[in-house]
């Protein structure tokens, strides 16, 4: 039997007194002093700058990356393992790549067909490396034909025409593998109708049955798959499909009586393939409902909104009145005229009755209060406690928007710089975004699960080198650690990653929509573009990230129109002030909330005045 | 200081001329800023004859900050959180809309009115709001079921005060 892929992969010895450098992009490792010094350390093979000088011990990046190479027998059934393995065997037209693969996976002595990942099957002829894959088609056809007409796979034969017998390494591209499936189709189906095969299977050849199966009743259909050379060059779609179905198959219930199904060499059950089922489970698992920058459920969205609201003390509420405005308020002694016909009145703030001769403060709206009472309120909000009319700048009725406010206040603030409330307010609004975006870890953790499953399997047939990433799903923590390490290596010390473009999510998310959306997002690109590794740093781009993140976050909100308006104003706001969205107010995500809730505000005002009238 | 003075005054007002359907108790003699309210649902509401426990926590800054009000009795209502701590979506209680001239009596009246007329366009429980709008019969049935299950007999104020108040703070923020 050929060697199995167990056992540690071989690494350069980092303890040997020479510095070993490891490339996170292509997993290449080399001795640092072997390479000519470059201004920035980079991989001699792929020229990636994401390289790391290996520190022996637990932090060795190769250990983590190499987990695929350290498989234990319990891992054997891992679907992805089979998958990339197969790729590595057949598809590498580039001999150098093949070398790497061998190097990574367990040495050149390994069988090129990757069967090491499966338990040895007694009596299985060598060269049957495609068994498991035929299994896929077998199963798949069963599904398809059962759907089409209740047919089942009756028989399967395989024939490998290799130049040399057995597992002798054959040059890539010359290996011809033939698989014949015989189907019993539904009662109404006519025999030998290869045309009925879905066009899905373009690369395959269908031909009439080579022999007659006397022992089966009913119409037969034989489909022969001829795959030339490496199976990996077959239509990627089919590969993908096979991969997914395979995962589903492995995790799904099995019918032991299925004829022709439990072919030799089938992987053990329950070892957990990262296939369709797992993908879906990952996506739809409520526990994983928040993936950093995407939410899948209403609850998750609620949590995020709550988080936003909590993180930022900023509210719709009117801002504090300026000291000068408070000082300039009219003060007078309570007299009979002021008390009115009833002869008595009470301060609505402290509910104490006024006595003749008390000094009161009269607001521009002609409501009046105890001086100390109303000042306490005005230091929080610049509106009348009864009618909410602003005490300053009455020509601008819109001034409970903080954005407008800072503008209004600025001249006064410049002159009367001593006022503490003035000084605090703009500062607070500047700090807002950083606090908002910087803090909670759940926001900053890059999410990986759903797209690693998806994009991972995509990449695995394109480039075997990255396929190890698909063999194990990292937890967000691991991912974060890893990213942190990589980032610090790349000399980019950012404490957190701002979330890249979010997936717009509806209010009434249901599992169906999230399923539609999630797997297909090309997020790797996003990461790359958004400067995670991209070197340089600019708060500007950060702001863009944030804005786009939140605009996409909000654009799914209820009214698109409002959103568009705001986007217009937000871009202009950003152009105008260098703060990039903090004081412009409009690009602040809270603006959305504020806009959103301002409808409440209107209601609230309605209610409030109602109450006032009643009182 | 000033808050307790005003609260005392309001309490006096409430006990001398009690608002309809409302009775007030203080769970602790030493703490005047925590009230337990028993609200009898108005006869014209679907919640009649339920009795609902309401916890009022006055903040230190009262009346400059709104009181925090939660339902201690479970209630099936579009504007009151169902499963959790009974937060109320009442616009005049939100920080943005709060005015110091609003008295607690006003607030309690508003809550009582909310039982008569839920505001499904401003919901905390969207599902219930939808049901209220589209399947009123079902809603009423469910609401009555809740009343007979939770709002009968002696009113209990089980919600831990601190937790209730803190939860209310959170919920009030997202109340839409």
């Amino acid at each position: 039997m050929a060697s199995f892929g167990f056992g540690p992969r071989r690494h350069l010895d980092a303890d040997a007194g020479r510095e070993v450098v490891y490339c996170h992009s292509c997993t290449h490792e080399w001795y640092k002093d072997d390479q000519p010094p470059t201004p920035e350390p980079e991989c001699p093979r792929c020229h990636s700058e994401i390289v790391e000088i290996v520190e022996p011990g637990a932090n060795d990046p190769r250990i983590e990356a190499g987990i695929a190479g350290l498989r234990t027998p319990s891992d054997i059934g891992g679907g992805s393992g089979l998958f990339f393995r197969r790729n590595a065997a057949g598809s590498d037209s580039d001999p150098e790549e093949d070398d790497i693969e061998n190097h990574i996976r367990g040495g050149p002595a390994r069988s090129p067909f990757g069967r090491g990942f499966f338990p040895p099957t007694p009596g299985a002829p060598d060269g049957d490396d495609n068994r498991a894959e035929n299994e896929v088609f077998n199963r798949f056809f069963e599904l398809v034909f059962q759907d089409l007409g209740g047919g089942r796979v009756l028989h399967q034969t395989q024939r490998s025409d290799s130049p040399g017998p057995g597992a002798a390494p054959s040059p890539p591209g010359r290996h011809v593998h033939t698989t014949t499936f015989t189907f019993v189709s539904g009662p109404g189906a006519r025999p030998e109708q290869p045309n009925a095969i879905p066009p899905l299977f373009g690369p395959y050849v269908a031909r009439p049955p080579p022999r007659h199966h006397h022992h089966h009743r009913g119409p037969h259909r034989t489909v022969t798959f001829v795959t030339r050379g490496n199976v990996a060059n077959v239509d990627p779609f089919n590969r993908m499909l096979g991969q997914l179905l395979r995962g589903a198959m492995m995790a799904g219930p099995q019918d032991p009586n299925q004829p022709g199904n439990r072919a030799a060499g089938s992987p053990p059950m329950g070892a957990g393939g990262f296939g369709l089922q797992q993908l879906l489970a990952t996506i739809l698992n409520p526990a994983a409902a928040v993936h950093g920058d995407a939410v899948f459920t209403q609850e998750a969205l609620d949590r995020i909104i709550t988080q936003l609201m909590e993180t930022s003390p900023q509210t719709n509420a009117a801002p504090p009145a300026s000291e000068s405005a408070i000082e300039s308020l009219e003060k007078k002694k309570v007299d009979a005229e002021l008390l009115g016909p009833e002869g008595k009145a009470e301060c609505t703030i402290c509910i104490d009755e006024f006595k003749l001769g008390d000094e009161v403060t009269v607001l521009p709206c002609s409501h009046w209060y105890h001086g100390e009472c109303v000042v306490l309120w005005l230091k929080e909000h610049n509106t009348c406690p009864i009618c909410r009319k602003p005490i300053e700048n009455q020509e601008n009725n819109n001034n409970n928007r903080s954005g407008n406010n800072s503008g209004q206040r600025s001249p006064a603030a410049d002159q009367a710089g001593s006022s503490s409330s003035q000084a605090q307010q703009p500062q607070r609004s500047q700090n807002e975004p950083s606090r908002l975006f910087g803090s909670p870890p759940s926001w900053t953790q890059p999410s990986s699960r759903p797209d690693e499953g998806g994009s991972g399997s995509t990449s695995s047939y394109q480039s075997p080198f990255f396929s190890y990433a698909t063999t194990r799903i990292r937890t967000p923590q691991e991912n974060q650690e890893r990213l942190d390490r990589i980032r610090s290596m790349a000399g980019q010390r950012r404490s957190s990653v701002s979330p890249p473009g979010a997936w717009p999510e509806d209010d009434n998310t249901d599992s169906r929509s999230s399923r539609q959306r999630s797997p297909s997002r090309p997020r790797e690109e996003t990461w790359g573009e958004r400067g995670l590794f991209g070197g340089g740093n600019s708060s500007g781009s950060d702001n863009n990230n944030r804005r786009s993140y939140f605009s996409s976050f909000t654009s799914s909100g209820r009214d698109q129109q409002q959103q568009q308006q705001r986007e217009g104003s937000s871009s202009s706001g950003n152009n105008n002030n260098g703060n990039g969205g903090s004081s412009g107010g409009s690009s602040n995500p809270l603006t959305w909330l504020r806009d959103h809730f301002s409808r409440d505000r209107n209601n609230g005002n309605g209610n409030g005045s109602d109450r006032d009238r009643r009182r | 200081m000033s808050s307790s003075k005003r609260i005392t005054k309001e309490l006096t007002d409430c006990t001398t001329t009690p608002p309809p359907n409302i009775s007030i108790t203080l769970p602790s003699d030493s703490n005047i800023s925590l009230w337990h309210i028993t609200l009898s649902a108005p006869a014209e509401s679907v919640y009649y004859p339920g009795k609902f426990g309401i916890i009022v926590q006055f903040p230190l800054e009262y009346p400059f900050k709104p009181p925090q009000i939660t339902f201690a009795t479970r209630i099936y209502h579009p504007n009151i959180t169902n499963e959790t701590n009974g937060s109320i979506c009442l616009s005049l209680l939100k920080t943005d809309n709060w005015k110091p001239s609003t008295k607690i009596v006003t607030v309690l009246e508003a809550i009582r009115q909310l039982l008569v007329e839920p505001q499904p366009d401003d919901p905390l429980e969207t599902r219930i709001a939808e049901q209220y709008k589209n399947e009123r019969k079902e809603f009423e049935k469910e609401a009555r079921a809740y009343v007979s299950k939770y709002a009968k007999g002696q009113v209990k104020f089980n919600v831990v005060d601190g937790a209730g108040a803190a939860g209310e703070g959170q919920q009030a923020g997202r109340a839409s």
Side-chain angles (χ1 to χ4, degrees):
Chain A
M1 280 293 135
S3 68
F4 295 98
F6 313 142
R9 47 181 282 204
R10 291 170 195 165
H11 291 300
L12 299 179
D13 186 4
D15 289 321
R18 303 172 74 190
E19 280 184 317
V20 173
V21 191
Y22 171 78
C23 172
H24 281 264
S25 286
C26 69
T27 72
H28 181 56
E29 9 180 316
W30 66 96
Y31 287 116
K32 193 183 178 192
D33 46 14
D34 277 351
Q35 298 296 329
T38 48
E40 291 291 329
E42 65 170 35
C43 174
R45 186 183 299 280
C46 70
H47 300 289
S48 162
E49 291 182 3
I50 307 167
V51 299
E52 178 177 359
I53 295 177
V54 174
E55 295 167 27
N59 282 334
D60 192 332
R62 302 171 299 180
I63 292 176
E64 188 174 311
I67 278 178
L70 294 170
R71 290 179 163 261
T72 61
S74 69
D75 281 327
I76 285 172
S80 317
L82 160 76
F83 192 44
F84 70 70
R85 189 43 163 235
R86 181 170 294 290
N87 279 331
S91 67
D92 287 340
S93 54
D94 182 349
E96 188 182 283
E97 289 184 353
D98 208 3
D99 283 352
I100 293 174
E101 194 59 27
N102 284 338
H103 175 68
I104 292 171
R105 294 303 165 213
R110 190 184 53 78
S111 152
F113 296 119
R115 46 201 306 272
F117 279 93
F118 297 101
T121 310
D126 274 350
D128 263 357
D129 55 285
N130 282 335
R131 271 279 158 88
E133 183 158 273
N134 288 333
E135 178 97 353
V136 172
F137 293 123
N138 197 341
R139 179 77 176 176
F140 179 61
F141 262 80
E142 219 165 285
L143 288 175
V144 169
F145 283 103
Q146 267 168 10
D147 278 353
L148 292 180
R152 310 203 291 171
V153 177
L154 287 182
H155 190 78
Q156 174 185 352
T157 60
Q158 293 192 13
R159 186 163 54 97
S160 285
D161 304 325
S162 299
S170 55
R174 297 203 198 131
H175 183 85
V176 175
H177 189 89
T178 310
T179 307
T180 306
F181 289 86
T182 306
F183 296 93
V184 179
S185 37
R190 294 182 56 85
E192 297 173 18
Q193 280 185 318
N195 291 344
I197 296 159
L200 209 59
F201 300 93
Y204 302 111
V205 183
R207 72 179 185 208
R211 57 185 161 170
H212 195 63
H213 298 267
H214 294 284
H215 53 289
H216 293 305
R217 296 177 180 277
H220 287 57
R221 176 187 306 159
T222 301
V223 182
T224 305
F225 295 144
V226 181
T227 53
R228 287 182 195 285
N230 48 63
V231 266
N233 279 347
V234 165
D235 180 7
F237 175 72
N238 279 326
R239 299 279 310 173
M240 180 75 141
L241 201 64
Q243 165 81 351
L244 288 179
L245 282 166
R246 195 162 174 287
M249 171 188 76
M250 290 171 54
Q254 292 295 326
D255 180 2
N257 299 323
Q258 210 88 282
N261 188 22
R262 300 266 55 88
S266 73
M269 294 298 111
F274 296 108
L276 186 60
Q277 211 150 43
Q278 177 140 5
L279 198 65
L280 291 179
T282 313
I283 292 164
L284 302 177
N285 178 9
V290 182
H291 278 296
D293 56 353
V295 293
F296 298 107
T297 62
Q298 175 72 48
E299 291 85 86
L301 182 67
D302 282 357
R303 265 204 305 280
I304 288 177
I305 291 183
T306 311
Q307 207 170 25
L308 270 177
M309 303 289 285
E310 281 169 5
T311 322
S312 162
Q314 190 180 19
T315 63
N316 266 344
S322 69
E323 200 105 330
S324 55
I326 292 175
E327 276 166 19
S328 64
L329 290 173
E330 181 188 359
K331 295 182 183 60
K332 59 161 104 171
K333 300 262 182 210
V334 174
D335 53 21
E337 186 197 351
L338 208 56
L339 286 177
E342 290 181 17
K344 64 177 189 177
E346 63 182 29
C347 170
T348 54
I349 294 176
C350 63
I351 346 185
D352 266 345
E353 278 188 23
F354 290 115
K355 297 184 207 64
L356 285 176
D358 281 355
E359 191 180 84
V360 295
T361 300
V362 184
L363 300 190
C365 53
S366 77
H367 288 112
W368 45 281
Y369 311 86
H370 285 131
E372 66 234 53
C373 295
V374 78
V375 165
L376 279 174
W377 170 255
L378 291 174
K379 280 181 174 166
E380 306 251 348
H381 308 284
N382 64 357
T383 54
C384 168
I386 292 177
C387 67
R388 290 187 171 279
K389 200 167 174 182
I391 62 162
E392 39 187 349
N393 288 340
Q394 290 166 47
E395 69 275 11
N396 188 347
N397 284 331
N398 199 15
N399 85 339
N400 34 22
R401 290 289 158 89
S402 63
N404 293 341
N405 245 315
S406 54
Q408 277 171 20
R409 229 181 304 117
S410 52
D414 289 346
Q415 287 160 10
S418 62
S419 151
S420 63
S421 68
Q422 287 165 4
Q424 277 164 7
Q425 173 69 9
Q427 207 177 358
R428 191 178 69 171
S429 70
Q430 271 179 3
N431 288 339
E432 220 79 70
S434 62
R435 242 183 305 155
L436 184 64
F437 295 104
S439 40
S442 64
W443 281 82
T444 55
Q445 274 172 5
S447 74
S448 59
R449 277 191 243 181
D451 52 329
E452 242 187 31
S455 68
S457 47
T458 311
S459 67
S460 54
Y461 58 74
Q462 289 163 349
S463 161
F465 303 126
F466 298 118
S467 58
Y468 66 85
T470 69
T471 57
R472 196 175 65 104
I473 286 183
R474 287 187 202 96
T475 68
Q477 284 80 15
E478 284 175 290
N479 237 331
Q480 184 64 46
E481 284 171 20
R482 204 172 145 78
L483 279 169
D484 284 342
R485 270 209 309 276
I486 295 172
R487 231 175 282 127
S488 63
M489 262 178 347
Q492 221 176 345
R493 304 190 180 273
R494 269 195 233 164
S495 58
S496 66
V497 187
S498 58
W503 308 351
E505 200 66 26
D506 275 328
D507 276 346
N508 35 10
T509 305
D510 56 20
S511 58
R512 197 183 38 206
S513 67
S514 56
R515 196 182 312 161
Q516 280 169 356
R517 273 173 204 163
S518 20
S520 60
R521 283 293 158 145
R523 238 162 6 134
E524 287 184 336
E525 255 178 49
T526 325
W527 280 106
E529 280 170 13
R530 297 289 167 91
L532 178 60
F533 306 129
N537 150 55
S538 59
S539 58
S541 80
D542 265 3
N543 273 326
N544 284 340
N545 285 354
R546 288 164 187 165
R547 200 174 62 226
S548 64
Y549 167 59
F550 273 103
S551 51
S552 55
F553 166 64
T554 56
S555 65
S556 60
R558 284 162 211 163
D559 44 17
Q560 293 276 355
Q561 239 181 346
Q562 201 183 359
Q563 161 67 15
Q564 278 159 10
Q565 283 172 7
R566 192 169 57 262
E567 276 190 340
S569 69
S570 95
S571 53
S572 65
N574 272 343
N575 290 340
N576 290 343
N577 62 58
N579 279 340
S582 55
S583 64
S586 8
S587 66
N588 191 321
L590 292 169
T591 315
W592 175 77
L593 295 168
R594 199 187 306 140
D595 287 349
H596 184 67
F597 291 126
S598 61
R599 278 179 282 165
D600 280 274
R601 156 183 289 276
N602 294 338
N603 289 348
N605 279 342
N607 276 348
S609 46
D610 231 22
R611 310 289 168 219
D612 288 340
R613 252 178 273 129
R614 206 178 286 175
R615 293 175 65 242
Chain B
M1 174 64 185
S2 71
S3 77
S4 64
K5 188 176 159 201
R6 166 156 167 174
I7 295 169
T8 313
K9 269 182 153 309
E10 290 206 53
L11 184 62
T12 315
D13 283 355
C14 286
T15 43
T16 49
T17 54
N21 304 329
I22 286 171
S23 70
I24 299 170
T25 52
L26 291 187
S28 151
D29 286 340
S30 58
N31 182 6
I32 200 176
S33 60
L34 181 66
W35 295 12
H36 281 178
I37 312 262
T38 303
L39 170 67
S40 309
E44 64 266 35
S45 81
V46 69
Y47 303 100
Y48 183 81
K51 285 189 193 309
F52 297 91
I54 297 173
I55 298 170
V56 178
Q57 171 77 54
F58 293 95
L60 274 180
E61 298 90 345
Y62 187 79
F64 301 106
K65 293 268 161 58
Q68 294 180 334
I69 299 184
T70 49
F71 265 68
T73 308
R74 286 188 67 175
I75 182 171
Y76 192 80
H77 192 286
N79 307 103
I80 298 164
T81 53
N82 190 9
E83 298 293 339
T84 48
N85 37 31
S87 308
I88 307 171
C89 177
L90 195 59
S91 57
L92 83 164
L93 281 180
K94 290 181 203 158
T95 322
D96 309 350
N97 297 331
W98 172 254
K99 296 186 287 190
S101 53
T102 310
K103 291 187 187 178
I104 193 67
V105 184
T106 321
V107 175
L108 294 176
E109 272 175 17
I111 291 173
R112 190 169 57 92
Q113 194 57 28
L114 203 60
L115 296 191
V116 180
E117 291 175 51
Q119 313 232 319
D121 293 328
D122 212 8
L124 272 186
E125 295 284 346
T126 34
R127 187 184 60 80
I128 303 179
E130 288 300 313
Q131 196 187 35
Y132 179 82
K133 277 195 278 196
N134 302 324
E135 308 161 85
R136 184 67 63 89
K137 283 271 187 308
E138 289 295 309
F139 165 80
E140 289 178 357
K141 194 174 145 209
E142 191 74 17
R144 288 204 180 90
Y146 264 68
V147 168
S148 56
K149 196 169 171 189
Y150 300 108
K152 285 281 170 65
Q154 190 62 39
V155 172
K156 294 195 187 80
F157 295 91
N158 282 337
V159 178
V160 183
D161 304 329
E168 215 282 326
Q170 290 179 6
Q171 300 288 341
R174 61 177 246 218
S176 58

